[in-house]
Amino acid sequence: MIKGLRFQRKENMKSSFLWGYIFSSVIGGALVDKYGGKRVIGWGVAFWSLATLLTPWAANHSTAGLLAARAFFGLAEGVALPSMNIILSRWFPNHERATAVGISMAGFHLGNVAGLVLTPIAMSSTAGISGPFIFFSSLGLLWLTTWAYGVTNDPAECRFIAKSELRLIQSGKSEAPAATDGKFPPLRLLLSKLPTWAIILANITNNWGYFVLLSWMPVYFKTVFNVNLKQAAWFSAIPWGTMAISGYIAGRLSDFLIKAGYSVTLVRKIMQSIGFIGPGVSLLLLNYAKTPLVASVFITAALSLSSFSQAGFLLNMQDIAPQYAGFLHGFSNSAGTIAAIVSTIGTGYFVQWLGSFQAFLTVTAGLYFITTIFWNLYATGERVF
């Protein structure tokens, strides 16, 4: 019983990051629409680097302090994806945007691998357990200096870009989004259209499945196959590398199909269908895995195929609402984050109650399939707002 309480407390600690993430996503998205991604993500990196640096100090003082540091980290990081999406939409023509997102998100996935590899090395330094926090916060601040002086919100503002390249970027874009004039986006109008709900439900489903696997994969191997957590960590590192590769492939394939003349709507539906049906089938097959190796293959397949969502709903916000894309991204992200919290905390209670992952994996697979149907019925690649 005590072990179970400790286990659940650890998952509550993980979810504290998501509580902060919820609140900054919507506000951060609206700020991105008004001020552009450069300034917003710059402040985000500065604050989450500070939160990282303060985490060991907070942990030494109290559990509440650690929870607050984690929530502050999530609060700062909530602006990252809306900022990235807006900047890439301005810097790349429509037929190259999916590839650009694939490359950018590859960095996100490889960061998980780098963290697993570099953390033990940093811990072996004289700083001890504080080493990784000092190292990664320093990296964030170093990146920030380059970002502040080398990046602009729009290619037209960049003094390093050639005129021929600027013309190439601008010629590959649809009409520029109208300025928001600092007004808060019309939430009621956005929620009145089914394509918006297709994006929101897709974000919820994607985060639900992603955080189930992210948070519980090591525990799954320990519970089902009695593979210790150190060994499971190596299993955990593999899928993030394959996600980086598959996300890039999805982006290249998406851009290829659009350049070949297929409609944006059809391409978005194809990519998202792969991104949900693939993980759903993989999770059902995981129920029949008899060895850790086979289970690792199915989990890797689930996460890898989920990266096709990057060329689906993640790009679709810019398609349907270019002038409110940041806010829509933030709002749908908040809904997805609530799902992530429920899955992160709820799975623990579910597994402790039944002592099995199988039923929960089946429910998650069903959610993937239902959302796929809704997406194909109501999603569109045309501008709605």
Side-chain angles (χ1 to χ4, degrees):
M1 179 67 178
I2 294 175
K3 183 179 179 182
L5 289 172
R6 288 175 178 171
F7 177 63
Q8 191 59 51
R9 188 181 300 161
K10 181 175 70 174
E11 298 313 309
N12 292 341
M13 194 74 69
K14 291 179 182 179
S15 69
S16 62
F17 163 86
L18 298 173
W19 287 110
Y21 194 89
I22 285 179
F23 295 106
S24 64
S25 288
V26 176
I27 298 173
L31 290 174
V32 168
D33 287 332
K34 182 177 181 180
Y35 297 109
K38 176 185 176 179
R39 188 184 305 179
V40 176
I41 198 173
W43 281 107
V45 172
F47 284 133
W48 82 55
S49 297
L50 177 62
T52 301
L53 186 63
L54 293 176
T55 296
W57 175 85
N60 286 333
H61 281 72
S62 67
T63 300
L66 178 57
L67 289 171
R70 291 289 300 163
F72 183 60
F73 185 93
L75 192 69
E77 194 168 307
V79 304
L81 289 181
S83 298
M84 180 200 76
N85 236 1
I86 294 298
I87 289 177
L88 293 179
S89 71
R90 293 179 180 178
W91 269 89
F92 290 87
N94 293 341
H95 60 273
E96 294 180 0
R97 190 154 51 91
T99 302
V101 169
I103 294 173
S104 297
M105 290 298 294
F108 174 81
H109 300 311
L110 292 175
N112 288 296
V113 178
L116 288 169
V117 173
L118 296 177
T119 295
I121 298 174
M123 287 180 66
S124 65
S125 68
T126 55
I129 197 170
S130 298
F133 299 94
I134 296 172
F135 176 69
F136 289 118
S137 61
S138 299
L139 281 183
L141 295 174
L142 180 63
W143 175 90
L144 185 58
T145 59
T146 304
W147 178 264
Y149 293 103
V151 175
T152 60
N153 282 317
D154 192 280
E157 302 169 358
C158 181
R159 62 183 184 274
F160 303 113
I161 193 171
K163 291 183 178 180
S164 58
E165 185 179 1
L166 180 60
R167 286 195 298 270
L168 181 64
I169 294 172
Q170 292 174 337
S171 65
K173 290 178 171 294
S174 55
E175 60 179 295
T180 58
D181 297 325
K183 295 179 180 179
F184 198 77
L187 181 58
R188 181 178 295 182
L189 174 62
L190 291 173
L191 296 179
S192 69
K193 305 295 183 182
L194 285 171
T196 300
W197 286 103
I199 290 174
I200 292 172
L201 184 56
N203 206 322
I204 289 172
T205 302
N206 183 72
N207 278 20
W208 178 281
Y210 179 83
F211 278 93
V212 164
L213 294 173
L214 177 69
S215 299
W216 294 91
M217 199 170 13
V219 182
Y220 169 82
F221 281 108
K222 178 64 177 178
T223 304
V224 177
F225 299 110
N226 198 31
V227 175
N228 67 51
L229 294 179
K230 183 176 291 186
Q231 290 175 309
W234 285 103
F235 279 118
S236 300
I238 297 172
W240 312 127
T242 61
M243 285 180 76
I245 297 172
S246 62
Y248 173 74
I249 292 173
R252 288 298 300 268
L253 178 59
S254 177
D255 287 337
F256 172 79
L257 291 174
I258 290 174
K259 284 188 282 189
Y262 292 92
S263 71
V264 174
T265 297
L266 177 61
V267 173
R268 298 287 185 257
K269 289 183 176 182
I270 291 173
M271 295 297 110
Q272 193 58 65
S273 295
I274 296 173
F276 280 168
I277 294 176
V281 172
S282 298
L283 290 182
L284 290 179
L285 293 174
L286 183 61
N287 288 328
Y288 300 97
K290 302 300 182 183
T291 66
L293 179 61
V294 173
S296 180
V297 169
F298 288 141
I299 290 174
T300 300
L303 284 167
S304 298
L305 291 171
S306 73
S307 290
F308 277 74
S309 294
Q310 296 169 192
F313 81 87
L314 193 60
L315 286 170
N316 194 228
M317 305 164 197
Q318 190 70 36
D319 296 328
I320 71 168
Q323 72 183 101
Y324 302 122
F327 176 77
L328 180 56
H329 195 147
F331 186 85
S332 65
N333 240 15
S334 291
T337 304
I338 293 173
I341 292 173
V342 173
S343 67
T344 301
I345 298 177
T347 304
Y349 290 109
F350 193 89
V351 171
Q352 288 181 55
W353 180 40
L354 294 180
S356 169
F357 280 88
Q358 278 71 15
F360 193 76
L361 293 175
T362 301
V363 169
T364 301
L367 180 60
Y368 274 125
F369 298 145
I370 291 171
T371 306
T372 302
I373 295 172
F374 192 90
W375 177 266
N376 281 282
L377 287 175
Y378 300 114
T380 179
E382 302 300 321
R383 182 169 180 171
V384 178
F385 305 102

